[in-house]
Amino acid sequence: MDKFRLLFVAGICAAIFALAFSWGIPTRCVQLPNGMNIGKQAIIDFAKPYFRPEVVLKFPNGKSLLTGDAWPFFTTETTVYGTAEANDADNDFRFVWRMDRGLVRRNEDPIRYQRLIEEAGPLLDGTPHGGFGSEIIMWQLQKQPAYADQTCRTRWIAIGNAGI
């Protein structure tokens, strides 16, 4: 009977640890009005130099929209768009994301891509025009009171960028 209790307690502890590990922790980020967040991909990224994670677009549940950085990156009230950077420059692609349409790649659906870019509207106040990545846009928005001191769910560990 004591052996059963020990296994039961160990199983409960393992389940709690696994849940906490998969849930992630809150870190500083920017919660965009279009439903997307800009923040760290993980606390530690084993695929990056010095294990420093990239700042990426991610959903409120912490899952990344793209596995790497977006550069250049643009955001409006309804839309985020730019170029998704892959490990190999030949795999980079232009994208647009809107809550009601999802992720659209220019090379897969150029007509819908162009229409969504045209409907995107003006860039958010405080975001610079030009070729800036998601990390710079996040820093610029965090300077504004509307986006300061926000937190988002962030995974503990990222092990690599497996295909965008």
Side-chain angles (χ1 to χ4, degrees):
M1 190 69 168
D2 288 333
K3 192 173 189 178
F4 174 74
R5 285 183 190 161
L6 182 62
L7 288 174
F8 181 73
V9 170
I12 294 293
C13 290
I16 290 171
F17 179 75
L19 182 63
F21 189 77
S22 68
W23 182 257
I25 61 171
T27 59
R28 290 192 61 186
C29 75
V30 170
Q31 299 171 2
L32 299 171
N34 55 37
M36 194 58 62
N37 298 325
I38 307 173
K40 289 182 180 179
Q41 182 175 15
I43 302 300
I44 299 170
D45 189 346
F46 287 113
K48 299 296 175 193
Y50 308 109
F51 307 123
R52 184 173 176 247
E54 291 184 325
V55 171
V56 297
L57 293 165
K58 58 186 183 176
F59 296 99
N61 67 3
K63 183 179 179 195
S64 299
L65 173 68
L66 309 166
T67 57
D69 192 15
W71 186 89
F73 171 71
F74 306 96
T75 183
T76 70
E77 290 283 330
T78 62
T79 310
V80 293
Y81 59 97
T83 301
E85 290 189 331
N87 289 338
D88 180 9
D90 293 335
N91 294 330
D92 291 355
F93 63 89
R94 308 276 268 148
F95 74 94
V96 61
W97 178 90
R98 197 167 77 186
M99 177 95 57
D100 61 339
R101 299 290 185 220
L103 182 66
V104 176
R105 296 179 186 211
R106 183 174 73 175
N107 59 344
E108 293 175 356
D109 193 348
I111 294 169
R112 192 163 85 171
Y113 170 87
Q114 189 60 38
R115 186 171 37 91
L116 290 172
I117 294 289
E118 291 168 0
E119 295 172 356
L123 297 179
L124 290 178
D125 290 336
T127 59
H129 295 272
F132 297 99
S134 52
E135 189 166 5
I136 301 296
I137 300 297
M138 183 176 103
W139 289 343
Q140 292 297 319
L141 287 172
Q142 284 179 331
K143 293 177 184 176
Q144 296 191 20
Y147 300 104
D149 300 323
Q150 293 180 339
T151 59
C152 301
R153 198 167 119 188
T154 302
R155 297 182 313 171
W156 286 87
I157 296 173
I159 300 183
N161 292 344
I164 292 181

